[in-house]
Amino acid sequence: MAESSQFSRLIHGWTQIDDGKGATREFDDFVSSNDFLVVDCNGIEFIDARSMVWNVAFGHNQPSISAAVAAQMNRLTSVPTLDGQATATARCLAERLTGLTGMSRVYLSLSGSAANEVAITIARDYQTAIGIPERRVIVSLKLGYHGQSIGTLPLAGFSGLQMPGAPESLDYALVPNCYCYRCPVGQAREICNIECADSAIARIEALRPDRVAALIIEPIQGSVGHPPPVEWFKRLADYLKKHGILLIVDEVANGFARLGNNFAFEAFRIQPDVLTLSKAITNGALPMAATLTTAEVTNVLIEAGWTPSFGSTQDGNPVCAAAALATLDILEAEDWASRAQYLGKRLDKMLRREIGNHPNVGEIRGMGLFRAVELVQNRATRSAFKKTEALAKELKDRRLLVRCDGGIIIIAPPLSTPHEVIDEIAFRVGAALRSTSGS
């Protein structure tokens, strides 16, 4: 059957493709943006309370980033960090990132998925370099997410995203996460002894630690927005160090002041062996990602005469690197971490005032300017909320962009958002929920 010309030729990610038989599906064509606002083709302004995909950390349309990109475009646009080639821009970015994080070396790619694939390769190559090549298993957490490439999507810890058979074929394994509202070991946070950490360790023991190369974690999982206690991280990190298993910290969504520290590993007092960054690294202006290693990991690879088995056409692209450098200038120019703490506490307070007593609100949680509202059908049983799709539409109708999926609203506006707009976000969430639920 021939396709009708009325349908868009553009395929949208995570969106069912239109079969051409029903009514034309409406998509949001955004045409401009400024700070915390995005404007559609009809001139309607939306509050961007999700920072697009958590990447526009410092507000839309930063002039200094545009200027840096334009200047680099006029000098040099495409030299990848391959085959002995480099640019001063990419080298400078590597220096800045290592200085800010305390890490040793950096590989520059173009997406969080790519950065995590590089991290996996480095972890396995490290184990080979120290004489344990059979250590190949990469462990991730249930309800985790580390990208959508063939090499990272199987790490996803929820069934809707996993590829059947892939975790085993790629030497991946899942362990219990820390999710206090729905505790994986059935304990109440007030009386538990962080037993979910022990459960994760027991699973690694069952896999045999001498087969495990690394554990990859998001400091706060984007799927649920729950910040684990510091002790959970410490217990896992101590176990990994004892057994020579590397810790990969995936800060693709959590980094760059979002959680109230410049980097999330600082907030939870852990030291990654490998760190991955993306999203806010260019404030969403251009694709860029980074995989960073500690001196300990780097020195082992150097001693082994390591040659990376990865590299793509645009890795280390100087224009993207220029955008990242300009973004780091913004990061270092102000105390964004303190601002994230202040705005996050204000948002938490306003959400509790607006919806804290609503019968469909199970929990309000988060850290810094990364907040989650978990909705339930029944507070006593914590049964799944049944009106997520209707709520998502209601939120959009109220000109508010948030992530609303699986009964969980994730709210993560740009760190530049004024406090009165933070209040307005809470008001609109409350109005949308009351309208959807009828209470």
Side-chain angles (χ1 to χ4, degrees), residues 139-142 173-178 184-185 194-209 212 215 217 232-233 235-237 239-240 245:
V139 175
S140 57
L141 301 181
K142 291 183 178 178
L174 292 175
V175 302
N177 65 339
C178 179
V185 294
I194 322 290
E195 292 172 42
C196 54
D198 297 332
S199 181
I201 289 169
R203 172 68 176 133
I204 296 174
E205 284 288 317
L207 292 167
R208 290 185 20 212
V212 178
L215 168 68
I217 60 172
W232 179 84
F233 287 99
R235 198 171 299 180
L236 276 178
Y239 174 84
L240 299 177
I245 301 169

Side-chain angles (χ1 to χ4, degrees), residues 54 141-143 177-184 189 192 194 196 218-230 232-233 254 259 268 363-367 370-374 408-410:
W54 311 332
L141 301 181
K142 291 183 178 178
L143 297 182
N177 65 339
C178 179
Y179 183 8
C180 293
Y181 187 70
R182 299 186 185 276
C183 178
R189 178 66 188 97
C192 83
I194 322 290
C196 54
E218 304 160 89
I220 291 185
Q221 292 182 306
S223 62
V224 295
H226 171 66
V230 169
W232 179 84
F233 287 99
N254 291 171
L259 301 188
F268 292 106
E363 186 176 53
I364 299 169
R365 55 180 178 256
M367 187 173 184
F370 194 94
R371 299 285 159 167
V373 178
E374 179 152 357
I408 297 176
I409 305 171
I410 300 290

Side-chain angles (χ1 to χ4, degrees), residues 9-73:
R9 301 296 175 178
L10 181 64
I11 294 175
H12 293 250
W14 304 111
T15 306
Q16 183 177 356
I17 192 167
D18 203 316
D19 64 7
K21 297 177 182 177
T24 303
R25 177 159 187 172
E26 294 183 5
F27 290 99
D28 299 314
D29 277 351
F30 293 115
V31 297
S32 64
S33 60
N34 182 47
D35 201 4
F36 58 88
L37 293 173
V38 291
V39 183
D40 73 7
C41 57
N42 297 310
I44 298 173
E45 293 183 339
F46 292 75
I47 296 177
D48 182 8
R50 66 185 184 207
S51 301
M52 280 292 103
V53 192
W54 311 332
N55 54 342
V56 186
F58 307 108
H60 289 269
N61 285 12
Q62 287 289 338
S64 60
I65 298 176
S66 300
V69 168
Q72 183 63 51
M73 289 284 287

Side-chain angles (χ1 to χ4, degrees), residues 87 105 178 228:
T87 64
R105 298 290 179 99
C178 179

Side-chain angles (χ1 to χ4, degrees), residues 14 113 116-117 120 124 138-175 216:
W14 304 111
S113 300
N116 285 328
E117 285 198 356
I120 289 167
R124 288 172 170 167
I138 305 297
V139 175
S140 57
L141 301 181
K142 291 183 178 178
L143 297 182
Y145 177 76
H146 300 284
Q148 59 177 347
S149 65
I150 296 296
T152 57
L153 190 56
L155 292 167
F158 42 107
S159 59
L161 292 179
Q162 288 177 356
M163 298 181 211
E168 292 79 13
S169 64
L170 294 174
D171 285 324
Y172 293 164
L174 292 175
V175 302
I216 183 168

Side-chain angles (χ1 to χ4, degrees), residues 265-281:
F265 71 84
E266 298 169 336
F268 292 106
R269 292 177 243 161
I270 51 175
Q271 176 56 57
D273 298 297
V274 184
L275 175 68
T276 60
L277 304 168
S278 191
K279 290 191 184 292
I281 196 171

